[in-house]
Amino acid sequence: ETGVTQTPRHLVMGMTNKKSLKCEQHLGHNAMYWYKQSAKKPLELMFVYNFKEQTENNSVPSRFSPECPNSSHLFLHLHTLQPEDSALYLCASSQDGSQHTDTQYFGPGTRLTVL
Amino acid sequence: GQNIDQPTEMTATEGAIVQINCTYQTSGFNGLFWYQQHAGEAPTFLSYNVLDGLEEKGRFSSFLSRSKGYSYLLLKELQMKDSASYLCAVRDSNYQLIWGAGTKLIIKP
């Protein structure tokens, strides 16, 4: 248990569906991250929030929409996804992202399958 | 471009020692991390190196050579529960983590 929870753990959706992924951290951190993890590929950073402000958006398609209502919660809203978006979506948090020693702690991920 | 290289898969025997290498080419360097990820679970933090040398933490040690752009994770007295993927990540000059694809370690009895 790392102090970062994600729901749902598994999600199957059609290309026309709208769904949301939820992440919650209980570590008192100020930075939160969304990553995409595909088999045998490096983790891909999608979005970063620092003190609730989005600081990174790494050329992610608009069908992925993040929301960070407070420093403990992070959402990823999904709509009109493609089959190639099937992957493990990981949420992470860290103290504030600005120190070289800042360590990220991960949730267990949501396994997403797009049909 | 930025690049992290790790072997895709390694196999070792229970009770033995294994060394997982990581080489990197990044724009700047602000530390190197190792994470362990069991199948279907969250990556968990193992170690952080920012200065050259060896950091020991129980059965696990991590080494860094900044001049060579090289690190390794050394696992001693291997146990079956060490079967997992091991991820290497480097913090670059923009404080972003650049990740390797991970090394899947298989432990055989």
Side-chain angles (χ1 to χ4, degrees), chain A residues 2 9 35 37 40-43 45 56 58 88 90 97-104 106-108, chain B residues 8 30-31 33 35 37 40-45 48 50 87 91 94-97 99-102:
Chain A
T2 64
R9 292 295 309 275
Y35 283 94
Q37 186 176 37
K40 298 183 180 181
K41 293 175 71 174
L43 289 178
L45 180 64
E56 292 288 339
N58 284 358
L88 182 68
L90 290 166
S98 65
Q99 304 296 321
H100 64 80
T101 55
D102 192 54
T103 299
Q104 294 182 14
F106 286 84
Chain B
T8 303
N30 282 299
F33 295 81
Y35 281 79
Q37 185 178 22
E41 297 183 15
T44 55
F45 169 72
Y48 170 75
V50 67
L87 311 180
R91 175 160 280 138
N94 293 320
Y95 283 80
Q96 278 210 15
L97 282 182
W99 294 85

Side-chain angles (χ1 to χ4, degrees), chain B residues 42-55:
Chain B
T44 55
F45 169 72
L46 288 178
S47 67
Y48 170 75
N49 294 68
V50 67
L51 300 176
D52 290 351
L54 188 67
E55 296 275 346

Side-chain angles (χ1 to χ4, degrees), chain B:
Chain B
Q2 308 204 85
N3 195 49
I4 309 283
D5 284 316
Q6 309 178 230
T8 303
E9 188 174 297
M10 298 181 71
T11 303
T13 305
E14 191 176 16
I17 299 173
V18 71
Q19 177 176 309
I20 302 174
N21 296 326
C22 171
T23 57
Y24 62 89
Q25 291 137 356
T26 56
S27 56
F29 178 84
N30 282 299
L32 184 144
F33 295 81
W34 283 98
Y35 281 79
Q36 179 191 60
Q37 185 178 22
H38 287 101
E41 297 183 15
T44 55
F45 169 72
L46 288 178
S47 67
Y48 170 75
N49 294 68
V50 67
L51 300 176
D52 290 351
L54 188 67
E55 296 275 346
E56 296 186 72
K57 197 184 289 186
R59 293 189 300 114
F60 291 11
S61 302
S62 56
F63 172 83
L64 174 67
S65 169
R66 288 171 296 170
S67 62
K68 295 182 179 178
Y70 168 69
S71 172
Y72 66 73
L73 182 68
L74 191 70
L75 289 73
K76 302 177 184 176
E77 301 168 17
L78 286 170
Q79 302 175 10
M80 297 304 292
K81 67 179 182 179
D82 297 330
S83 291
S85 289
Y86 291 85
L87 311 180
C88 174
V90 172
R91 175 160 280 138
D92 70 8
S93 56
N94 293 320
Y95 283 80
Q96 278 210 15
L97 282 182
I98 311 301
W99 294 85
T103 298
K104 182 178 181 180
L105 178 63
I106 300 167
I107 310 296
K108 295 186 174 180

